[in-house]
Amino acid sequence: MNALLAADPEIHALIRQEEERQAAKIRLIASENYASSAVLQATGSVLTNKYSEGYPGKRYYEGQQIIDQVEALAVARVKELFAAEHVNVQPYSGSPANIAAYLAFLNPGDTILGMALPHGGHLTHGAPVSISGRYFRAESYSVDPQTKRLDYDAVRQRALECRPRLLVAGHSAHPRILDFQKFRAIADEVGAIFMVDMAHFSGLVAGGAHPSPIPYADVVTSTTHKSLRGPRGAMILCRDQYAAAIDKAVFPGLQGGPHDHTTAAIAVTMKEAATPAFKEYAHQVVKNAQALAATLLAKGFSLVTGGTDNHLLLADLSATGLSSKKVAKALDRAGIVLNYNTIPFDTRKPTDPSGIRMGACAVTSRGFKEQEMAFVGEKIAAVIERLDDEAFLARTAAEVREFCRRFPAPGLEHLA
Ligand code: DSN
């Protein structure tokens, strides 16, 4: 980064510091990962200089000789990896992808039914503070009060009550596999479009570690940077019959020119995700999340649903009376980065709720296996015992830094 160093030493130094942070800490934020150097290089390429409104072969600007090939390659690779009929790789990120899907199928005021935000859904699944909750009549379904899992009879009941035009399945904080077939049946019964937001688990789907929603859903959205380990971006996969509506909704409906540097990086990501190594990675992510769950359970933690079958877990700290925000901040000072999170039926406020969320995607990318996850669980438990002991937190951070040195992260090999 010599040019950056010469032009802007302040930003250069900050990026270097962020590299150090990502190398030295155990990163458990369930939506984060380490993109490979190849992905980072595509993202940082001259493709950022181009405008290309439209789609390959049908652009509104000239000079698309290369860009058309880049986008066609990205689309072809996503199609092949996920066995999708039609793919759009232009959404800027997950929220715009979801809004574009709504724009394709809905009019303002139409009803959408999605998982309630405090129960693990996403803001764009109809939360009142989101455009999805303001421009549409947003209804929600919840998890079962006892099991904290989805009760599909209850989801069906909600659908029969509110007759949604579009039913959304997907989550950003639910540790269990969804039954897409049951969702499909509910959507069919009420005549709804069935949309799946697989942003969190699309990498697991790509690697065969999670069922695919593609055979069941009318439309599937996903970011490309979470379990897929790609650039900050998104994509929409849909049945051929909806291709024109989706493409028109993304451009010109919602967005202008696509981010071609991101499109190239998505193509690279798909190539990486099609390898046997990625398949192994996806399965290891699940094993690692389960290993962390097992350690925490052995330490007496309460986990929402009692464990996980995907990449994430949610610990319910309500019985401890601790502020999960304080816990998350202390863990960060101890070198373990996660986020405080609401849990289903939380009695505390969202800005300081009862849960912490942990994901295994990033640490698995740097080579952690079950044994390392046990170390992570032990450290989390130890920190929670001594939240106010700053010397202990500093010692733990040093120990974590040493531990992490043995596991060079993708994209940060130059620090190893
Ligand atoms: N912000 C993402 C997450 O952390 O789950 C979802 O968009």
Side-chain angles (χ1 to χ4, degrees):
M1 297 203 298
N2 291 341
L4 181 59
L5 175 61
D8 192 336
E10 277 170 286
I11 286 293
H12 179 272
L14 290 171
I15 292 175
R16 286 288 186 232
Q17 284 168 38
E18 175 62 10
E19 287 179 347
E20 295 287 343
R21 190 194 70 82
Q22 291 190 17
K25 291 197 171 188
I26 292 173
R27 297 173 56 229
L28 297 178
I29 291 180
S31 46
E32 293 183 355
N33 212 326
Y34 293 96
S36 69
S37 292
V39 165
L40 295 176
Q41 282 174 16
T43 306
S45 69
V46 295
L47 300 188
T48 204
N49 297 340
K50 190 71 194 102
Y51 253 117
S52 56
E53 275 95 335
Y55 291 98
K58 293 168 282 183
R59 306 281 190 186
Y60 290 83
Y61 292 63
E62 297 314 314
Q64 310 294 349
Q65 295 83 355
I66 313 301
I67 296 302
D68 274 5
Q69 295 180 62
V70 168
E71 187 168 336
L73 206 45
V75 166
R77 288 178 182 170
V78 178
K79 273 189 188 177
E80 187 169 347
L81 187 62
F82 290 98
E85 289 180 12
H86 179 76
V87 169
N88 186 309
V89 290
Q90 296 193 3
Y92 299 142
S93 200
S95 298
N98 287 349
I99 302 307
Y102 299 154
L103 189 59
F105 294 110
L106 305 174
N107 287 311
D110 280 353
T111 302
I112 59 173
L113 175 62
M115 191 187 245
L117 182 62
H119 291 239
H122 189 253
L123 280 165
T124 54
H125 299 175
V129 291
S130 146
I131 186 172
S132 63
R134 294 186 53 189
Y135 283 32
F136 304 106
R137 191 164 78 83
E139 300 284 347
S140 61
Y141 54 85
S142 307
V143 293
D144 179 80
Q146 256 71 52
T147 63
K148 311 293 188 316
R149 293 177 186 241
L150 278 177
D151 168 352
Y152 290 91
D153 290 333
V155 177
R156 175 174 172 267
Q157 210 43 53
R158 286 293 295 124
L160 289 169
E161 282 159 18
C162 69
R163 313 292 306 187
R165 173 89 188 99
L166 186 144
L167 173 64
V168 190
H171 56 75
S172 42
H174 183 69
R176 296 294 172 181
I177 279 171
L178 304 176
D179 189 331
F180 301 122
Q181 196 167 3
K182 287 192 177 145
F183 269 113
R184 174 80 255 174
I186 295 167
D188 285 343
E189 190 176 351
V190 299
I193 293 287
F194 177 36
M195 168 172 149
V196 175
D197 176 349
M198 65 169 181
H200 261 264
F201 50 85
S202 52
L204 304 186
V205 172
H210 189 289
S212 172
I214 305 295
Y216 304 101
D218 296 300
V219 59
V220 176
T221 60
S222 182
T223 48
T224 50
H225 48 269
K226 297 186 175 89
S227 48
L228 261 177
R229 211 161 62 187
R232 297 301 288 249
M235 55 196 188
I236 303 179
L237 298 73
C238 68
R239 298 190 171 172
D240 266 336
Q241 69 190 106
Y242 304 121
I246 288 292
D247 286 352
K248 265 175 62 185
V250 174
F251 172 82
L254 187 68
Q255 298 185 173
H259 293 174
D260 298 314
H261 53 300
T262 301
T263 304
I266 290 174
V268 177
T269 302
M270 296 304 140
K271 190 168 180 181
E272 292 178 348
T275 59
F278 193 87
K279 203 176 267 274
E280 209 177 296
Y281 163 73
H283 284 91
Q284 190 64 48
V285 167
V286 176
K287 285 191 229 165
N288 281 355
Q290 290 173 342
L292 179 57
T295 305
L296 293 177
L297 287 170
K299 292 270 168 200
F301 278 70
S302 164
L303 300 181
V304 172
T305 77
T308 178
D309 39 40
N310 59 24
H311 62 300
L312 71 83
L313 45 147
L314 262 182
D316 172 358
L317 304 179
S318 51
T320 67
L322 291 170
S323 146
S324 66
K325 188 175 192 172
K326 181 172 173 176
V327 168
K329 288 188 177 302
L331 280 164
D332 191 23
R333 293 201 294 286
I336 298 172
V337 191
L338 44 69
N339 66 283
Y340 57 86
N341 213 99
T342 48
I343 55 167
F345 309 102
D346 212 324
T347 51
R348 297 173 65 105
K349 54 187 193 306
T351 47
D352 188 10
S354 303
I356 50 173
R357 185 183 69 157
M358 291 152 275
C361 295
V363 289
T364 308
S365 289
R366 68 190 301 172
F368 281 24
K369 294 226 161 57
E370 288 90 328
Q371 199 183 320
E372 285 75 36
M373 299 313 285
F375 170 87
V376 174
E378 305 272 343
K379 292 295 158 203
I380 291 173
V383 166
I384 291 180
E385 288 289 308
R386 300 169 74 172
L387 283 184
D388 295 315
D389 185 343
E390 289 301 333
F392 176 73
L393 301 186
R395 276 202 308 281
T396 306
E399 207 182 324
V400 163
R401 192 175 309 115
E402 271 316 299
F403 185 84
C404 284
R405 257 190 237 288
R406 293 174 19 222
F407 300 92
L412 295 171
E413 292 88 352
H414 56 284
L415 298 182

